Amino acid sequence: MTGPRACAPSELPQLARLADAVFRSKGGSMQAEYPLVFGEENLNFCRVIEEDGRIVSHVGVSIRDASLLGCSLRVASIGAVCTDAAYRGRGYASLLMEDARTLALGEGASLMLISGGRGLYHRLGYVNVGSFRSFTARAEILPVPAEGLRVEPCGAAQIPGLIALHQRLPVRFVRPADDWEKLLAAGMIMNQRGDCLGVWEEGRLVAYAAVQRPRDGAPARVREYAGSETALFAALGAVARYYEASGVEVVAMPGTEDLARLLRNAGAEEKELAFTGTLGILDVDGFFACIHPYVRECLGAPTDALFLDPRQTNSISFEYAGERYALANRGQLTALVFGGSTEEARSIPEAPPGVGEILKRIFPMPLLWYGYNYV
């Protein structure tokens, strides 16, 4: 066995065959569908193990900057975790996940998102937490677009406008133009084929929706949007008709309210979703340094009296006004920070009243939603 190590450029076809054998047995190309992982410029972050002269296990890492309520941080997204069937049970995925964690920390990432919920990730301390809202609206309750509003697919020519709209989101991945080019060309919205539909009002691009193509008359699934939420709501009927779908299903982007309110008032069915995978805070000091402006804004002067100690052997603790609140591990800290209704989010211990009241003024924070950045 050799590795964990980076995938060499000459090995990319071999790696693509392994990923397709595991994830695309019925057809498709992981390399084409997920350029943020399998692009040649990212091969140092395609971590592999070689045995018997070939690649037998892989963990893909995509490291991007993100903005969380005005705070800048680096995020490592993990995907395409796979092992050749003949080499499973040897601990290769665990070795690669630890290698990916070390690599991500070296790149300055303080948060890791994993597109999966297998037991391995939970054993390594990652948790399924976070809270998102999903709305499903039948076509008949959606508005008829007003004159002057149209819905059409976006392409490379619209990238500057898409960037301008996306930059307004309060919780988002930072997505440069070259990422937009690759993602639009790939035609994937998270884990399904999809389209980027622009909403034009009086000839001006005012919103977009990244929509998974519906199957067998199911709702069209909006998995990312940005721009005017009022215009987007007015265009949802046209989105449903574009696909001849039974309606639309929309995941509300974190930190936004208007589209959710409009859908709720229209009678859409609402439900809570957890994050579509597992996650963990990698670097406690680094993460809290990143969100310090947000914490300071929430607390004011008490910020300086709230002390976080991540260096204890078996726990992470907050101290405030003589009270101490200990969390057993980084998984519990991640659950505290991002909240939600999952068992892991509910299982964190109750805080003493003083420090608990302070922490409630900060947490939970909204969590990043993958959208186009799914790997």
Side-chain angles (χ1 to χ4, degrees):
M1 181 198 81
T2 59
R5 61 171 177 81
C7 177
S10 62
E11 296 173 318
L12 181 55
Q14 184 186 151
L15 173 58
R17 286 194 296 272
L18 170 64
D20 288 345
V22 174
F23 297 109
R24 293 293 181 267
S25 60
K26 296 182 180 180
S29 167
M30 290 287 287
Q31 182 180 359
E33 293 169 9
Y34 296 104
L36 299 190
V37 171
F38 294 103
E40 290 192 5
E41 71 285 350
N42 196 60
L43 287 183
N44 188 53
F45 298 95
C46 289
R47 311 303 292 179
V48 300
I49 285 177
E50 176 190 353
E51 189 159 338
D52 298 328
R54 61 193 181 96
I55 291 173
V56 298
S57 192
H58 169 257
V59 166
V61 188
S62 173
I63 296 181
R64 291 295 186 271
D65 294 321
S67 180
L68 191 61
L69 300 180
C71 301
S72 297
L73 68 157
R74 301 209 86 192
V75 178
S77 298
I78 301 293
V81 178
C82 55
T83 301
D84 186 297
Y87 294 85
R88 292 174 188 167
R90 305 185 188 188
Y92 291 167
S94 296
L95 285 173
L96 286 167
M97 285 296 298
E98 179 57 27
D99 173 72
R101 187 186 75 86
T102 301
L103 183 68
L105 285 168
E107 292 291 321
S110 58
L111 180 67
M112 180 175 280
L113 308 180
I114 306 170
S115 58
R118 57 198 280 192
L120 166 66
Y121 308 141
H122 291 275
R123 290 194 298 273
L124 293 174
Y126 302 100
V127 291
N128 177 230
V129 295
S131 180
F132 302 91
R133 309 305 300 180
S134 170
F135 297 85
T136 302
R138 303 182 313 278
E140 56 265 28
I141 71 171
L142 294 171
V144 176
E147 187 176 347
L149 187 145
R150 74 179 196 276
V151 172
E152 293 179 1
C154 290
Q158 283 74 48
I159 287 176
L162 295 172
I163 290 173
L165 296 173
H166 185 248
Q167 286 174 332
R168 300 178 194 172
L169 290 173
V171 180
R172 65 183 181 91
F173 285 94
V174 175
R175 189 180 298 146
D178 51 345
D179 278 4
W180 273 105
E181 290 172 6
K182 296 169 189 171
L183 293 164
L184 290 180
M188 290 291 287
I189 312 297
M190 297 182 67
N191 61 345
Q192 291 185 28
R193 305 297 299 179
D195 306 286
C196 183
L197 299 183
V199 179
W200 277 263
E201 200 168 46
E202 303 298 338
R204 186 169 63 93
L205 181 65
V206 296
Y208 75 83
V211 188
Q212 292 178 336
R213 296 171 188 166
R215 301 169 181 171
D216 302 322
R221 303 170 76 188
V222 178
R223 288 299 181 259
E224 179 179 308
Y225 61 81
S228 167
E229 295 177 61
T230 303
L232 182 56
F233 174 72
L236 287 178
V239 170
R241 285 194 293 278
Y242 182 86
Y243 294 103
E244 298 182 351
S246 61
V248 296
E249 179 190 335
V250 180
V251 174
M253 293 298 96
T256 68
E257 296 291 341
D258 289 349
L259 184 57
R261 174 180 51 80
L262 290 165
L263 284 164
R264 191 178 293 119
N265 291 344
E269 178 187 350
E270 180 178 358
K271 64 180 179 181
E272 183 180 10
L273 300 177
F275 180 67
T276 59
T278 42
L279 63 141
I281 294 172
L282 295 178
D283 175 2
V284 176
D285 281 340
F287 180 82
F288 275 84
C290 290
I291 68 167
H292 183 266
Y294 163 79
V295 175
R296 179 75 183 178
E297 192 171 35
C298 289
L299 297 184
T303 305
D304 299 327
L306 180 66
F307 176 67
L308 169 69
D309 185 3
R311 292 170 291 277
Q312 300 177 65
T313 303
N314 295 314
S315 69
I316 297 161
S317 68
F318 292 91
E319 296 180 10
Y320 179 76
E323 292 181 343
R324 180 173 177 271
Y325 176 44
L327 297 168
N329 49 51
R330 285 177 172 79
Q332 287 193 347
L333 177 65
T334 304
L336 171 72
V337 170
F338 294 111
S341 299
T342 65
E343 182 178 348
E344 288 168 305
R346 296 193 305 268
S347 66
I348 59 175
E350 186 175 353
V355 68
E357 185 59 35
I358 288 293
L359 292 174
K360 285 178 183 177
R361 290 163 61 180
I362 312 170
F363 307 128
M365 296 183 74
L367 177 61
L368 290 155
W369 176 258
Y370 274 126
Y372 271 117
N373 282 77
Y374 180 89
V375 297

